[in-house]
Amino acid sequence: MKILSVNAGSSSLKFQLYEMPEENALVSGVFERIGIDSSFYTIKFNGEKIKKEVDLPTHKDAFTILLKELMDLGIVKNLDEIKGVGHRIVQGGSYFDRTVVVDEDVIAKIDELSALAPLHNPAAIVGIRASQEVMPNAVQTVVFDTAFHQTMPEETYLYALPYEWASEYKIRRYGAHGTSHKYVSARMNEILGRNNTKLITCHIGNGASISAVKDGKCINTSMGLTPNAGLIMGSRCGDIDATIVPYMMDKLKVNSKEMDTILNKQSGLLGVSGISSDSRDIEEGISKGNHRCELAQKMYVRRIIDYIAKYYVELGGCDAIIFTAGVGENSISTRREVLDGLSVLGVKVDEERNNVRGKETLITSDDSSIPAYIVPTDEELMIARDTYNLCI
Ligand code: ADP
């Protein structure tokens, strides 16, 4: 059965087609600059990358071209072969704790939550509508970044703010990257051969979050109401003293929107180093002796260690630490520095095992008190799995 994973942004549409349940990725690609000029798409198929420039006024045009390409390439004979389409949704609020089949009530709720994800939820609805029009016979599902974190207890997801804010304004911790945390924790349980585990999953990419996962369920996660909270990220500040915000708004005479931009786009590794949000550039700066790059990296690593230590205590121990996403899978030095910072717990990195990028592997020594692994994430596959399960 063919299942399509879709991630629609306001001007982009990423896709990956799978043969399920075999989990074979058949083709993937991205449509870019939808609704603006110079639009184009790229498709990866059979080890080749095709790039074409076309007019893409709407997401519906992107889906129409995608389906024509799939037929021209001989990947599908007709559209009805695609039985399910899974759409990635950033914010599911308290409404959704799992993947669901789309209906009008589901769309209304995603729309209602747009205030919490103004860049993402409205774009996803456009993607769903376009997909429904072009593939009316396929089962459309929605897979939420927040769903995996809905198992957090009330004392964990509430903020110590006026109690009514949670019900009146939906102010609470929702977390993010849930599809990734779910995927890597499920994979880790497979590797360990059991489900009654205590795992700390570190999704460290440009955006970054850590989750505590007990017996396959999330009990805490570092992101909050928005993906700005928790770890220091490429250009997001992570946890700070909230009072800095009104204080600096007064000092700089900036409004809330401008302050939001500073906290999300001009802070983190970029803000401290003054050089880049990309950890490869920070590593290069460090190799040249740049003090602010060294400082940014120390702060970045310190925060990851803090969260792992906090969740170790909260879980009452830990069966495995998992690194995933861009930095987690590829930055040898960041992983080493984090694990060295946990040596007081008896964690021991194995330099040789850790000397890899993007490969599922154990990176600690055999006498480490807690094993640490790299588990490459695959959010698209997780979306396809959930969607397949709702199609059979
Ligand atoms: P996003 O949050 O945008 O999905 P990714 O998970 O793709 O991000 O991670 C992107 C980040 O991964 C880059 O900004 C970069 O900092 C980091 N990264 C990728 N490759 C390497 C590498 N070889 N060494 C260190 N960092 C890397």
Side-chain angles (χ1 to χ4, degrees):
M1 182 191 296
K2 293 193 174 54
I3 302 284
L4 187 65
S5 272
V6 171
N7 187 350
S10 54
S11 66
S12 69
L13 185 84
K14 286 192 202 132
F15 68 89
Q16 184 135 5
L17 184 71
Y18 290 89
E19 185 67 48
M20 300 296 283
E22 297 82 357
E23 304 194 340
N24 287 336
L26 302 173
V27 56
S28 66
V30 56
F31 289 79
E32 293 188 54
R33 301 183 61 85
I34 299 170
I36 35 183
D37 58 352
S38 319
S39 29
F40 63 95
Y41 62 92
T42 47
I43 294 189
K44 282 193 206 155
F45 176 57
N46 267 349
E48 276 184 49
K49 193 168 169 182
I50 309 162
K51 180 174 175 185
K52 289 187 189 169
E53 285 171 25
V54 280
D55 274 350
L56 293 171
T58 67
H59 286 70
K60 187 178 167 195
D61 297 303
F63 273 114
T64 307
I65 292 172
L66 167 60
L67 296 174
K68 186 170 176 310
E69 281 282 4
L70 294 181
M71 287 196 278
D72 290 351
L73 290 167
I75 300 167
V76 298
K77 286 189 199 69
N78 64 67
L79 299 187
D80 288 342
E81 273 183 49
I82 299 175
K83 297 290 182 207
V85 185
H87 300 264
R88 178 191 177 200
I89 312 287
V90 164
Q91 182 53 268
S94 304
Y95 291 129
F96 301 103
D97 64 358
R98 67 198 67 195
T99 297
V100 295
V101 173
V102 172
D103 62 21
E104 283 307 311
D105 178 53
V106 167
I107 291 188
K109 289 195 168 99
I110 296 170
D111 189 33
E112 185 193 319
L113 293 164
S114 288
L116 296 175
L119 299 179
H120 297 104
N121 275 25
I125 295 175
V126 172
I128 296 167
R129 295 279 189 217
S131 172
Q132 283 175 322
E133 269 189 67
V134 180
M135 289 171 279
N137 297 326
V139 175
Q140 310 279 340
T141 73
V142 275
V143 184
F144 298 92
D145 275 8
T146 48
F148 184 60
H149 305 305
Q150 279 295 304
T151 42
M152 285 185 289
E154 195 177 16
E155 67 270 23
T156 301
Y157 69 68
L158 278 187
Y159 290 110
L161 291 164
Y163 184 73
E164 311 71 47
W165 286 16
S167 52
E168 278 181 39
Y169 302 102
K170 298 186 166 55
I171 302 295
R172 50 156 286 184
R173 180 188 304 281
Y174 295 106
H177 298 139
T179 310
S180 176
H181 289 287
K182 183 176 170 187
Y183 177 84
V184 298
S185 55
R187 177 67 197 129
M188 194 69 238
N189 281 349
E190 270 175 27
I191 296 169
L192 295 174
R194 58 197 174 93
N195 291 322
N196 59 335
T197 53
K198 297 166 180 171
L199 306 178
I200 298 176
T201 51
C202 309
H203 177 111
I204 321 280
N206 189 29
S209 63
I210 300 193
S211 294
V213 184
K214 189 160 190 262
D215 305 335
K217 292 198 171 67
C218 175
I219 63 160
N220 206 344
T221 193
S222 61
M223 280 181 170
L225 172 77
T226 74
N228 184 270
L231 301 176
I232 294 171
M233 302 173 224
S235 63
R236 296 175 221 163
C237 58
D239 295 340
I240 56 166
D241 177 347
T243 315
I244 294 170
V245 176
Y247 182 82
M248 285 309 293
M249 282 172 73
D250 283 349
K251 284 274 171 209
L252 299 175
K253 303 205 173 11
V254 294
N255 61 30
S256 58
K257 220 170 166 191
E258 291 163 323
M259 187 44 118
D260 191 75
T261 303
I262 296 170
L263 299 174
N264 281 295
K265 303 239 162 81
Q266 297 165 15
S267 300
L269 290 178
L270 174 63
V272 179
S273 72
I275 286 190
S276 173
S277 60
D278 192 307
S279 62
R280 285 164 290 200
D281 299 334
I282 301 297
E283 284 177 22
E284 202 191 317
I286 293 170
S287 72
K288 291 182 183 151
N290 181 300
H291 170 67
R292 279 173 60 184
C293 286
E294 283 170 9
L295 186 62
Q297 177 70 5
K298 272 189 196 157
M299 293 164 66
Y300 183 85
V301 166
R302 179 77 254 158
R303 186 72 60 83
I304 298 172
I305 296 167
D306 289 350
Y307 266 95
I308 295 176
K310 172 174 145 71
Y311 291 160
Y312 173 82
V313 173
E314 195 165 333
L315 285 162
C318 177
D319 295 309
I321 299 166
I322 298 115
F323 290 94
T324 196
V327 180
E329 291 170 30
N330 296 300
S331 176
I332 295 162
S333 54
T334 300
R335 285 194 307 259
R336 187 200 328 108
E337 289 160 22
V338 169
L339 295 173
D340 280 348
L342 294 165
S343 60
V344 68
L345 297 179
V347 175
K348 285 188 198 154
V349 66
D350 180 309
E351 292 289 345
E352 210 167 301
R353 287 176 180 168
N354 184 43
N355 196 20
V356 288
R357 300 186 201 275
K359 205 178 116 205
E360 184 180 289
T361 186
L362 174 72
I363 56 172
T364 40
S365 59
D366 293 338
D367 62 346
S368 178
S369 59
I370 307 169
Y373 288 80
I374 301 171
V375 177
T377 194
D378 197 338
E379 288 158 290
E380 290 74 21
L381 175 58
M382 195 74 234
I383 292 172
R385 270 185 200 164
D386 276 5
T387 305
Y388 171 74
N389 286 331
L390 289 171
C391 287
I392 53 175

